[in-house]
Amino acid sequence: MDAAWLEVLLMRLGVASVHSLVLVALILLIQRLVPRLPAAVRCMLWWMAALQLVLGLIWPRPLELPLLPAVA
């Protein structure tokens, strides 16, 4: 295994983990503030958090939105 590839993978894992931690904290906050949130909505929020973690590992760069300027 190449050391550079392993370093990139660990960097992606770290960034994806931090993003997922923030997203999970927001989901928990939403569930605390809105206790009568339907089960389907809660389930969708948790699936989105899981999807974010998987895509954070696979996708190599952030998406560029046409409304925002690209970072140089």
Side-chain angles (χ1 to χ4, degrees):
M1 217 186 291
D2 190 6
W5 180 82
L6 184 60
E7 185 177 332
V8 169
L9 181 65
L10 287 175
M11 180 65 73
R12 283 188 197 169
L13 181 62
V15 171
S17 296
V18 170
H19 289 166
S20 294
L21 178 69
V22 171
L23 186 59
V24 166
L26 286 174
I27 291 172
L28 288 173
L29 181 67
I30 289 169
Q31 287 184 353
R32 284 280 188 184
L33 294 176
V34 187
R36 291 186 174 222
L37 200 62
V41 174
R42 285 183 286 162
C43 182
M44 180 193 63
L45 289 172
W46 288 114
W47 275 108
M48 285 177 30
L51 180 66
Q52 190 276 331
L53 182 58
V54 171
L55 287 178
L57 290 174
I58 295 171
W59 205 267
R61 330 176 267 188
L63 294 174
E64 293 182 24
L65 299 177
L67 300 176
L68 301 174
V71 178

